[in-house]
């Protein structure tokens, strides 16, 4: 089986280059990258004017399967990923039951294998039932196929448990992905602590609730010589902490999400619960700090924290609404609109944070586009404008504050192992 991609702008996130070239896929692998390839192929894609890059790797999604499949399931999540140009994703453990046993990890892997082809990498829980009391069996979870451990959704309040968890995960070669927000400082609170929470007479989730735990986890990683990864970093000062700790040689990495470099807490005033997310949308100063962190490499990865909910769970008063927003189908477009079309970042630097970097953090052989690598490929038009319409999503989740927004950058083809699994209708 041969697939020929003609005349694309090939972005290699490793070398940081953009080359106008053809690309030949043979038996699921990248076989040739050369200009003017005149070879027979079973399928030819004309990629003139389009960007050809490694399939996107989203290291943080919620697929809600098992148990919460009215919000999403592994198959609809994978279809949403394909539409968003995501060919590999890691899914969080806060399902029902929690992914805290090898059986649950196996369930996710088997169901994903029967899907559209998007690679799904389960993340095991750090603590049994995400309760923060007793550690799961890291070795058994790893053997079953977990690529990392996380209690995402919950902070790990017990520093002693976190220290043990870091040591046990590192013995298995897995990072811990930490949702950093001190529970006591945020419990029952829906929005950032600041001008918006004051206007609405609500108690807020303070920035320092995140920053304290980022500092604590960085220090624990330093002391134990283990790897910690901060999920969805959202404040300028948290980025500063990671920057300083990286300089000291601490094995700390972090991700942010499009909402944190695009929106501020003001969004709550117009979008209400649709803009509710944990950690919350912050301030203009934080947005600037996040972009600075992305530019200088302090922030390693852009993930979505794709968090589908039923409409009914969002259409409540702010304190009662569920937190989170979907992201798989809009992440690349929002990122290009916000960082590339504004001239803030170059294409290869953006793509690296959506491919090679997250793959490296999870030790996946993905996110590259060189001879011999897996032919997981995303082809997009960087200049096509479209309007975000949640009704068109493949995800069961329609919860996004970006509905109605015009964005620039559209996924045209998503390819896994040399097979086209999604093609834009036009
Ligand atoms: O807003 C959020 N929603 N933040 C999280 O950490 C969890 C997620 C969810 O599972 O809905
Ligand atoms: Zn989280
Ligand atoms: Zn999450």
């Amino acid at each position: 089986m041969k697939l020929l991609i003609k005349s694309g702008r090939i972005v290699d996130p490793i070398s940081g280059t953009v080359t106008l070239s053809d690309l030949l896929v043979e038996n699921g692998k990248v076989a040739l990258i050369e200009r003017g390839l005149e070879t027979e192929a079973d399928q030819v894609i004309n990629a003139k004017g389009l960007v050809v890059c490694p399939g996107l790797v989203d290291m943080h999604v919620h697929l809600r399967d098992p148990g919460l499949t009215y919000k999403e399931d592994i198959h609809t999540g994978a279809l949403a990923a394909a539409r968003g140009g995501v060919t590999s994703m890691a899914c969080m453990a806060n399902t029902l039951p929690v992914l805290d046993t090898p059986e649950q990890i196996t369930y996710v892997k088997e169901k994903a294998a029967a899907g559209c082809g998007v690679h799904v990498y389960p993340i095991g829980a750090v603590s049994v039932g995400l309760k923060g009391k007793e550690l799961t069996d890291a070795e058994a979870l790893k053997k079953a196929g977990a690529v990392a451990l996380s209690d995402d959704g919950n902070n790990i309040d017990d520093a002693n448990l976190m220290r043990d968890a870091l040591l046990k995960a590192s013995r298995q070669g897995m990072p811990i992905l930490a949702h950093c927000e001190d529970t006591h400082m945020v419990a029952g609170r829906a929005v950032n602590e600041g001008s918006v929470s004051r206007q609405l007479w609500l108690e807020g989730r303070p920035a320092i609730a995140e920053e304290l735990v980022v500092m604590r986890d960085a220090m624990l990683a330093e002391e134990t010589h283990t790897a910690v990864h901060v999920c969805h970093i959202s404040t300028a000062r948290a980025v500063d902490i990671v920057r300083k700790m990286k300089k000291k040689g601490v094995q700390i990495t972090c991700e942010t999400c499009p909402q944190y470099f695009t929106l501020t807490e003001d969004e709550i005033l117009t979008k209400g619960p649709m803009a509710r997310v944990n950690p919350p949308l912050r301030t203009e100063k934080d947005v600037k700090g996040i972009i600075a962190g992305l530019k200088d490499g302090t922030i390693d990865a852009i993930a979505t924290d794709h968090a589908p909910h039923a409409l009914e769970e969002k259409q409540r008063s702010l304190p009662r609404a569920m937190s989170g927003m979907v992201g798989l189908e809009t992440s690349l477009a929002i990122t290009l609109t916000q960082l590339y079309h504004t001239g803030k970042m170059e294409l290869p630097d953006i793509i690296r944070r959506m491919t090679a970097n997250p793959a490296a953090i999870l030790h996946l052989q993905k996110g590259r586009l060189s001879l011999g690598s897996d032919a997981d490929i995303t082809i997009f038009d960087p200049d096509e404008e479209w309007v975000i319409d949640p009704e068109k999503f493949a995800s069961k989740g329609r919860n996004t504050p970006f509905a109605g927004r015009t964005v620039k950058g559209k996924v045209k083809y998503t390819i896994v192992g040399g097979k086209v699994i999604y093609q834009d209708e036009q």
Side-chain angles (χ1 to χ4, degrees):
M1 174 71 192
K2 283 188 186 181
L3 166 69
L4 180 60
I5 302 169
K6 294 282 290 177
S7 312
R9 282 161 66 191
I10 300 183
V11 171
D12 178 0
I14 308 285
S15 64
T17 53
V18 184
T19 334
L20 195 66
S21 183
D22 300 339
L23 186 151
L24 181 72
V25 172
E26 211 171 347
N27 302 324
K29 305 275 182 194
V30 177
L32 269 176
I33 303 177
E34 236 173 71
R35 257 190 218 209
L37 273 178
E38 295 296 341
T39 172
E40 295 282 301
D42 303 283
Q43 189 180 359
V44 180
I45 292 174
N46 177 10
K48 199 158 193 262
L50 306 180
V51 171
V52 178
C53 71
L56 306 183
V57 178
D58 189 339
M59 66 181 298
H60 186 158
V61 304
H62 296 268
L63 296 181
R64 309 301 194 200
D65 195 350
L68 299 163
T69 52
Y70 66 95
K71 296 178 197 256
E72 190 80 290
D73 63 56
I74 289 169
H75 294 318
T76 54
L79 290 171
R83 285 175 59 90
V86 172
T87 56
S88 292
M89 59 183 167
C91 61
M92 284 296 177
N94 62 343
T95 50
L96 206 65
V98 168
L99 307 184
D100 58 5
T101 62
E103 290 72 27
Q104 297 308 331
I105 299 292
T106 303
Y107 164 82
V108 171
K109 286 188 66 107
E110 283 178 355
K111 188 157 175 186
C116 69
V118 170
H119 300 287
V120 177
Y121 299 96
I123 297 164
V126 171
S127 71
V128 176
L130 303 181
K131 290 190 191 317
K133 299 276 182 238
E134 188 193 332
L135 291 181
T136 54
D137 184 342
E139 187 181 352
L141 292 172
K142 165 84 181 189
K143 280 207 177 108
V147 293
L149 299 182
S150 180
D151 272 5
D152 181 55
N154 296 348
N155 189 61
I156 295 173
D157 288 328
D158 181 339
N160 191 48
L161 191 89
M162 183 64 173
R163 190 170 68 155
D164 286 349
L166 283 166
L167 286 165
K168 291 211 166 117
S170 105
R171 274 181 217 132
Q172 302 304 322
M174 290 187 290
I176 296 227
L177 319 179
H179 175 122
C180 300
E181 276 189 300
D182 181 283
T183 305
H184 297 289
M185 297 178 102
V186 298
R189 308 177 192 188
V191 302
N192 184 44
E193 181 182 275
S195 71
V196 171
S197 69
R198 284 193 290 276
Q199 269 182 70
L200 299 175
W201 294 84
L202 291 171
E203 271 195 288
R205 304 168 84 94
I208 196 161
E210 176 173 335
E211 293 147 359
L212 284 173
V213 183
V214 172
M215 189 69 186
R216 181 201 74 174
D217 289 352
M219 291 179 74
L220 287 173
E222 179 179 30
E223 190 188 73
T224 54
H225 303 285
T226 61
V228 72
H229 173 83
V230 178
C231 293
H232 43 50
I233 202 160
S234 77
T235 89
R237 195 151 63 147
V239 174
D240 276 339
I241 294 168
V242 173
R243 186 178 287 118
K244 285 190 186 118
M245 288 302 196
K246 278 189 166 182
K247 273 207 186 106
K248 284 178 79 183
V250 178
Q251 294 174 63
I252 185 166
T253 54
C254 66
E255 82 204 13
T256 193
C257 319
Q259 55 267 27
Y260 300 115
F261 55 79
T262 309
L263 306 176
T264 68
E265 58 184 351
D266 289 350
E267 207 71 15
I268 291 284
L269 300 173
T270 51
K271 304 283 162 57
M274 276 301 178
R276 178 174 174 177
V277 60
N278 298 338
L281 301 175
R282 307 283 190 186
T283 67
E284 198 58 54
K285 191 170 155 237
D286 294 304
V287 168
K288 289 209 174 95
I290 297 291
I291 293 173
L294 278 165
K295 286 174 77 159
D296 75 6
T298 301
I299 301 177
D300 304 85
I302 298 172
T304 58
D305 196 7
H306 177 79
H309 291 294
L311 227 44
E312 180 276 320
E313 296 169 319
K314 276 300 211 178
Q315 290 170 335
R316 299 176 183 166
S317 64
L318 261 174
R320 293 187 55 249
M322 297 266 183
S323 294
M325 45 188 73
V326 290
L328 277 167
E329 290 165 82
T330 54
S331 175
L332 178 65
I334 294 167
T335 301
L336 292 171
T337 305
Q338 197 64 12
L339 302 178
Y340 173 64
H341 291 297
T342 53
K344 291 192 170 87
M345 284 178 73
E346 302 287 343
L347 215 40
D349 293 332
I350 292 172
I351 299 300
R352 186 161 63 246
R353 285 154 185 71
M354 302 183 88
T355 56
N357 284 0
I361 293 165
L362 298 177
H363 308 298
L364 304 176
Q365 300 303 315
K366 294 287 179 192
R368 6 180 105 226
L369 203 51
S370 41
L371 294 185
S373 62
D374 292 343
D376 295 357
I377 300 170
T378 297
I379 302 179
F380 64 89
D381 181 343
D383 297 314
E384 185 174 329
E385 289 195 339
W386 56 288
V387 179
I388 294 175
D389 176 5
E391 291 306 313
K392 296 198 177 134
F393 287 169
S395 170
K396 291 180 191 173
R398 301 284 187 266
N399 50 304
T400 171
F402 292 105
R405 197 178 262 252
T406 301
V407 286
K408 204 168 171 184
K410 197 151 203 277
V411 174
K412 291 292 171 184
Y413 300 87
T414 305
I415 297 163
V416 175
K419 192 170 150 239
V420 176
I421 61 159
Y422 169 74
Q423 182 173 350
D424 189 28
E425 67 273 4
Q426 295 145 25

